[in-house]
Amino acid sequence: MATVVGGLGISHTPSMGVEHDAYRRTGEFTPRWQPWFDGTRRLRELLAGLSADHLVVVYNDHLNHFDLDNLPTIAIGIGDTFPQADEGWGRRPLPDLDGDPEWGIHLAESLVASEFDLTICHDLHVDHGIYSWLPYVMDVPWPTPITPIAVNMVRAPLPTANRIRQLGVAIRSAVESASRAERVVVVATGGMSHQISGGRFGIANEGLDRWFLDRLPDGLEDLMKIPVTEYMRVGGTEAAELSLWFAMRAALSASATAAYRFQTFPFITGCGALLMVEP
Ligand SMILES: [Fe+2]
């Protein structure tokens, strides 16, 4: 039986990736981004200590693979590899992500059996939803294969908080029903407070970000009671992506605990991370 050994909630944003590219060229971060890099040093150590054999990553695409004519609510990648999406300025100098079709197919079958009507993708191009934070917590070549699960966070109607929680529960069941004796970490990634369009462009709310990080380990039910429109009002439209983090918490047991968390605000989008581990 495979085991969920931990969970990671983490922000993503395009500039996070651009800054890491600059760091690899120059060996330095700008003062805005240095705290994010510093904060991910301990995270990276702790994540490595979990010795994951596989990552299940719940994220959202930003119309870089899917488009408004064909936008599934929940899609799963089952390919051998997941190329980087070109977001309009060319692909960054990072390799494709490794998949594991045996895991991908097992997760797809198990989630469909749990009544999730998935879009199944053999060829899924992955954008900054995964590529921006990944090089901060893992080195190239990527050490761990992944199964990406893309959830619509860009166009109404969004899936409900309960649906995202149930997705996390179903992922845990799927992992535990696998015959492979492997260690799995469930990652959920969504930007924290930010708004990148309209008259409120640029608003953010670091207090909301810190409060969310503090509450998620033991307060999932309370966080789910808050309407997504309230997160959007208080934290900016794209703060809706915080609801993806519910899947990570729900994929862990009630006795899982926070091993590490931190928050910073480099540019436009609140950035934070929460690593939880099973006892
Ligand atoms: Fe996003």
Side-chain angles (χ1 to χ4, degrees), residues 12 60 62 128 191 194 241:
H12 62 242
N60 70 291
H62 304 77
H128 70 270
H194 67 304
E241 294 181 10

Side-chain angles (χ1 to χ4, degrees), residues 22 50 53 64 90 103 115 147 177 200 204 230 238 249 279:
L50 290 177
D53 300 299
N64 291 307
W103 260 118
E115 302 183 342
T147 295
S177 69
R200 299 199 307 159
E230 184 65 6
E238 280 71 36
R249 182 62 189 93

Side-chain angles (χ1 to χ4, degrees), residues 82-236:
F82 304 105
Q84 183 185 165
D86 184 341
E87 301 196 35
W89 53 82
R91 294 183 189 181
R92 294 164 48 216
L94 293 168
D96 295 349
L97 306 176
D98 293 325
D100 181 332
E102 190 177 322
W103 260 118
I105 292 167
H106 171 76
L107 285 158
E109 289 177 344
S110 181
L111 290 172
V112 171
S114 298
E115 302 183 342
F116 278 87
D117 302 320
L118 301 176
T119 296
I120 296 177
C121 303
H122 294 264
D123 181 26
L124 178 63
H125 290 233
V126 170
D127 71 5
H128 70 270
I130 296 179
Y131 266 94
S132 62
W133 52 266
L134 193 63
Y136 288 85
V137 298
M138 289 183 178
D139 284 333
V140 171
W142 311 124
T144 313
I146 78 164
T147 295
I149 298 177
V151 179
N152 168 36
M153 278 290 131
V154 298
R155 183 181 66 183
L158 303 178
T160 63
N162 187 52
R163 191 63 170 155
I164 296 167
R165 187 254 303 270
Q166 289 304 322
L167 177 63
V169 171
I171 289 170
R172 182 182 184 86
S173 296
V175 169
E176 291 181 341
S177 69
S179 57
R180 301 163 70 166
E182 294 196 349
R183 299 167 62 85
V184 174
V185 169
V186 177
V187 183
T189 173
M192 305 194 90
S193 62
H194 67 304
Q195 178 154 338
I196 56 173
S197 61
R200 299 199 307 159
F201 175 91
I203 74 160
N205 187 331
E206 289 190 75
L208 170 67
D209 295 342
R210 284 191 288 269
W211 179 80
F212 186 88
L213 285 172
D214 287 342
R215 295 300 294 273
L216 186 58
D218 300 306
L220 175 60
E221 298 295 329
D222 291 340
L223 292 176
M224 286 177 52
K225 288 176 187 164
I226 300 169
V228 69
T229 48
E230 184 65 6
Y231 285 103
M232 294 163 80
R233 186 185 70 80
V234 174

